[in-house]
Amino acid sequence: MTTSPKRQSEFKWGEGKMSGIVSIFLGILSIGGVLCFHFPEYLTTAELRKAYDVDTMRYVLRGAIFLATALGASTFFMSKGRRLGFAGVLLAAIAQLLGGATVEVGDFEAHRVSFGLDWLVLDLLTSTLIFIFLEKLFPHKKDQKIFRPEWNEDLVFFAFNHLLLSFTLLVTIKFSSTLFGWAVNS
């Protein structure tokens, strides 16, 4: 005899789960942003460095750290969100202790290959905002929630696809330049 599982992990307003998860999400992105400021030659994409303004990125980072802290602190005082709130505040504190938005970026030599963490952070933040807006505006299923129990699978697929695509592009560019470099006409 099978029974349908009760949807106990569905998120509801006032429990602190949504704000806690957003706090953790922003805390993780903040740590990634701070690391990009510390190691731009290894973690940032050369093409993106040319496109965005460092001061604007500092404001975005400050806002993310502030929101992660505020949402985490408010979540901590809700009955079901203590761990999530604490984790969000802790991640924001780690980002701040690593230097926050005040990390100075000196002159550095750009490397041919970079990890592209800045692209991952910006892409994840932008995609999240766009897809949440579109899911609310044009839902595929009327009863589907934005913060559904499978959200962590979505995050894993996003990160895996991002890393797999980056790796595939690197390998393709390396092999194509090695194999067909002779065909380049100066």
Side-chain angles (χ1 to χ4, degrees), residues 77-143:
F77 294 108
M78 295 181 186
S79 62
K80 295 187 179 184
R82 290 198 187 278
R83 284 191 219 148
L84 293 173
F86 179 75
V89 170
L90 180 65
L91 289 168
I94 290 170
Q96 193 61 39
L97 288 172
L98 288 173
T102 62
V103 174
E104 287 299 321
V105 179
D107 292 335
F108 59 89
E109 185 178 322
H111 292 273
R112 291 182 64 187
V113 177
S114 65
F115 182 69
L117 183 62
D118 58 341
W119 173 245
L120 178 69
V121 168
L122 292 172
D123 189 27
L124 184 57
L125 183 60
T126 306
S127 297
T128 300
L129 294 174
I130 289 171
F131 283 110
I132 286 176
F133 175 73
L134 289 175
E135 286 245 349
K136 286 308 236 180
L137 196 59
F138 307 108
H140 178 66
K141 298 175 185 172
K142 293 231 183 244
D143 61 338

Side-chain angles (χ1 to χ4, degrees), residues 8 19 25 27 34 39 42-43 62 75 79 86 116 145 160 177:
Q8 59 193 9
S19 58
F25 176 71
V34 172
F39 307 106
Y42 300 110
L43 298 179
R62 279 187 189 104
T75 301
S79 62
F86 179 75
K145 307 288 185 210
F160 181 73
S177 64

Side-chain angles (χ1 to χ4, degrees), residues 8 18 29 52 54 72 74 92 101 109-110 122 135 138 144-145 152 158 161 180:
Q8 59 193 9
M18 284 188 276
L29 291 182
Y52 51 65
V54 174
S74 66
E109 185 178 322
L122 292 172
E135 286 245 349
F138 307 108
Q144 180 172 309
K145 307 288 185 210
N152 51 357
F158 177 86
N161 287 333
F180 302 107

Side-chain angles (χ1 to χ4, degrees), residues 26-51:
L26 289 174
I28 291 170
L29 291 182
S30 297
I31 290 172
V34 172
L35 290 175
C36 285
F37 275 111
H38 275 293
F39 307 106
E41 65 273 17
Y42 300 110
L43 298 179
T44 62
T45 310
E47 292 79 17
L48 283 180
R49 282 194 304 264
K50 296 174 191 171

